[in-house]
Amino acid sequence: MERRRSRIVLSLLLVAGAAAGAWSLLAPGATEEDRVRHVLDGCETAFEKGDVDGIVDHLHAEYSDSLGNDRAGADRYLKFLLVMQKKTYAMDRRQESIHVEGESAKIEFVASGSERRGEELLPSGLGTWDVTGEMRRVDGEWKIYRLELKKRRE
């Protein structure tokens, strides 16, 4: 009984710690770079879960990308990729750079995507992309305004 109680308390402490960590990103002491990174993390998590709305909600109303998509086009593409094809993906974001200047932020990172089949990752997934872009603050929230996507040759 005591052992079970200890596990429950430990689980509650872990949940509380995770919640406190997430809250700290929204706390007044968080930097704007932290807030931008939090949006990118949210998009990555939504992508891996196949949550199209969770990604599109972070796109600026005037979003555009180098593939010719506006916000509605990105929504359609993501629905095709994540919902209609019934595939799940793992995403890795690295070599990240964030520079905030007032109401705008320049972002740069390398993104790699792999198709997930159970616990197995297939290297023939989405490939590796160099991503640069701009985010803008709208009513206190950071939104992805523009992305330049360049696929690396593999």
Side-chain angles (χ1 to χ4, degrees):
M1 183 68 157
E2 188 62 34
R3 189 175 187 177
R4 181 173 179 211
R5 195 174 303 159
S6 296
R7 286 183 182 167
I8 291 171
V9 169
L10 178 60
S11 297
L12 290 173
L13 287 172
L14 290 172
V15 170
W23 176 254
S24 70
L25 288 174
L26 304 175
T31 67
E32 290 305 316
E33 286 83 2
D34 290 336
R35 294 171 196 270
V36 167
R37 189 171 292 108
H38 184 67
V39 170
L40 296 175
D41 290 345
C43 288
E44 183 176 336
T45 299
F47 183 83
E48 290 182 341
K49 290 181 178 179
D51 177 10
V52 173
D53 292 338
I55 300 168
V56 175
D57 287 348
H58 292 295
L59 301 182
H60 192 281
E62 297 173 15
Y63 170 83
S64 65
D65 64 38
S66 60
L67 303 177
N69 291 312
D70 59 6
R71 192 171 196 262
D75 182 62
R76 283 190 303 273
Y77 175 74
L78 289 166
K79 283 179 180 166
F80 170 75
L81 181 69
L82 300 175
V83 179
M84 295 175 70
Q85 289 191 10
K86 298 182 182 180
K87 293 181 180 180
T88 59
Y89 296 94
M91 185 175 155
D92 178 43
R93 195 176 78 241
R94 60 190 186 282
Q95 298 174 4
E96 183 177 83
S97 172
I98 299 171
H99 300 285
V100 175
E101 297 174 18
E103 301 295 306
S104 178
K106 303 292 182 199
I107 57 173
E108 220 175 300
F109 55 90
V110 175
S112 299
S114 300
E115 185 179 341
R116 183 186 305 271
R117 291 217 182 126
E119 294 301 312
E120 183 180 2
L121 296 178
L122 305 178
S124 62
L126 300 174
T128 301
W129 296 75
D130 292 310
V131 181
T132 58
E134 180 183 353
M135 294 178 69
R136 293 189 179 172
R137 192 172 17 214
V138 178
D139 298 326
E141 291 185 36
W142 286 101
K143 300 286 185 179
I144 300 169
Y145 178 72
R146 170 93 180 125
L147 290 180
E148 180 77 26
L149 306 140
K150 293 182 185 174
K151 188 165 187 175
R152 290 186 174 182
R153 293 182 184 236
E154 297 176 10

